[in-house]
Amino acid sequence: MMDYFSMTSHQSTKPSAQTSQWPVPADSVRYVVPEPIVRQLAHHPLTRELYPLAFGHYRRAAGHHMHREHHRDNLLIYCTDGKAFLNVAGEPYTVSAGDLLLLPAGASHRYTADPDNPWTIHWVHYTGPLAAEFGDYMGFDDNTRVLHLGRQPRLLVDFNGLLSVRQTGFRTKGLIHASNRLRQLLSAVPMNVDETSQARQAELDTLHNYMREHLEERLTLQQLAELSGLSPAHFATRYREQTGTSPIQHFLHLKVERACELLDTTSHTFADISRQLGYDDAYYFSRLFKKVMGKSPSDYRHTARH
């Protein structure tokens, strides 16, 4: 049996989902967005930059296989159990539980579920002008087809958020909501990547808790590195790889967050707040505050916020 989009793709210039022809059992779901609604999503101002074409959840997908020589859309797959064998542009991969893979538009590929231990997956076909930008943002490129995330409950929540549109009768409003859930899913992937190593995440949590407990001090890179038992240079490099920023910059941002809280909730002068956060020179801290917040402390305090 051919999929709906396989039968109708020649009738529209809009991308259509090239879903597999795997027969879906009762405990799995395949949801294909009707072609007329795809055209609406492609033009609606709230969805035209990024929108889903099909999505679903396959449980122990025995016999699941696909070969796409000319892939028109983007396919994101999150494997939560089992295994599959993947080939993208001639490069072989083995996909296992905890792996997230992106097959971008134009990438020839084929995949086959392991016959002895077939994968369980959540997946979404999507397209739109922002699709490539989101691929880059998530950390995928020609050399990185698979991200090893481990079990990520938040990612499962986001995938299931797409499936919540089922049984709404293909209502446009529901699919506009699903399109924006898709944007949420993709934009959250880098945060999930940051949490892939439980040991390293535990180290970061300990370090960040230490920073929050010592906001009144002027911690140095040397002091923070000693907490991790690393040289300052090695510590700074590793921290940036994990977070995308420097440890001292993060510590400053925590101080500025606390300064904002005190400006909002107390009548303390900024000089008093600066001293509470380890800065005897309020003018110096004011410049740091403005660099982070884009406005001076006095402007921040007097900005109407509701």
Side-chain angles (χ1 to χ4, degrees):
M1 180 184 71
M2 296 185 68
D3 295 307
Y4 176 88
F5 281 101
S6 299
M7 293 187 289
T8 62
S9 60
H10 67 283
Q11 298 173 5
S12 172
T13 59
K14 298 300 177 186
S16 300
Q18 297 169 273
T19 58
S20 72
Q21 297 178 19
W22 183 67
V24 182
D27 60 350
S28 296
V29 178
R30 177 191 292 146
Y31 184 98
V32 178
V33 181
E35 190 85 11
I37 295 181
V38 169
R39 290 195 289 270
Q40 291 181 42
L41 297 177
H43 292 94
H44 196 286
L46 297 181
T47 59
R48 62 191 176 202
E49 299 298 328
L50 187 80
Y51 51 94
L53 301 171
F55 39 87
H57 175 215
Y58 292 166
R59 191 183 305 276
R60 294 194 59 80
H64 185 219
H65 64 91
M66 189 67 183
H67 181 192
R68 300 180 181 93
E69 198 61 41
H70 304 289
H71 193 209
R72 296 188 299 270
D73 57 53
N74 303 270
L75 173 58
L76 188 71
I77 299 176
Y78 181 43
C79 176
T80 58
D81 195 15
K83 189 164 60 174
F85 306 107
L86 169 71
N87 188 293
V88 185
E91 290 292 324
Y93 303 85
T94 298
V95 180
S96 302
D99 287 348
L100 181 74
L101 67 106
L102 176 65
L103 300 171
S108 62
H109 61 265
R110 61 181 182 272
Y111 51 77
T112 302
D114 185 337
D116 299 320
N117 187 21
W119 63 357
T120 292
I121 57 173
H122 283 76
W123 55 271
V124 55
H125 287 265
Y126 63 94
T127 190
L130 286 181
E133 295 286 345
F134 269 106
D136 293 340
Y137 179 71
M138 288 187 286
F140 294 104
D141 56 36
D142 289 346
N143 298 313
T144 306
R145 305 291 188 183
V146 180
L147 298 175
H148 307 288
L149 300 185
R151 180 167 177 77
Q152 295 291 344
R154 178 167 57 190
L155 189 55
L156 288 174
V157 168
D158 287 339
F159 269 108
N160 285 325
L162 291 176
L163 289 172
S164 68
V165 75
R166 294 169 59 214
Q167 299 178 359
T168 60
F170 297 126
R171 291 179 62 217
T172 303
K173 289 181 179 179
L175 285 158
I176 289 174
H177 178 67
S179 296
N180 286 280
R181 290 298 295 261
L182 171 63
R183 186 183 290 250
Q184 175 181 314
L185 188 162
L186 302 186
S187 62
V189 166
M191 293 188 288
N192 290 307
V193 171
D194 289 343
E195 298 171 0
T196 54
S197 168
Q198 293 185 358
R200 287 199 174 186
Q201 186 60 37
E203 290 178 10
L204 276 180
D205 289 343
T206 299
L207 179 65
H208 291 162
N209 286 336
Y210 183 85
M211 289 181 179
R212 284 188 285 269
E213 292 167 359
H214 293 79
L215 288 177
E216 75 283 359
E217 300 179 27
R218 299 281 295 276
L219 297 177
T220 66
L221 181 63
Q222 177 73 42
Q223 289 173 292
L224 295 173
E226 287 174 357
L227 292 173
S228 298
L230 302 172
S231 70
H234 186 189
F235 167 71
T237 298
R238 183 162 134 172
Y239 186 92
R240 183 175 287 278
E241 287 174 349
Q242 288 181 263
T243 67
T245 189
S246 73
I248 296 301
Q249 187 75 5
H250 182 74
F251 188 46
L252 171 62
H253 285 183
L254 289 177
K255 285 177 178 283
V256 171
E257 282 183 3
R258 177 60 176 158
C260 289
E261 181 183 346
L262 292 171
L263 287 168
D264 283 337
T265 61
T266 75
S267 59
H268 296 167
T269 67
F270 192 71
D272 288 338
I273 292 172
S274 297
R275 281 191 290 273
Q276 289 183 49
L277 294 171
Y279 293 94
D280 291 329
D281 186 345
Y283 177 70
Y284 174 69
F285 186 46
S286 176
R287 284 188 295 152
L288 295 177
F289 183 100
K290 185 174 182 179
K291 187 173 182 180
V292 174
M293 296 300 298
K295 60 180 64 178
S296 69
S298 60
D299 286 343
Y300 175 87
R301 174 168 262 171
H302 294 104
T303 297
R305 291 182 297 280
H306 303 283

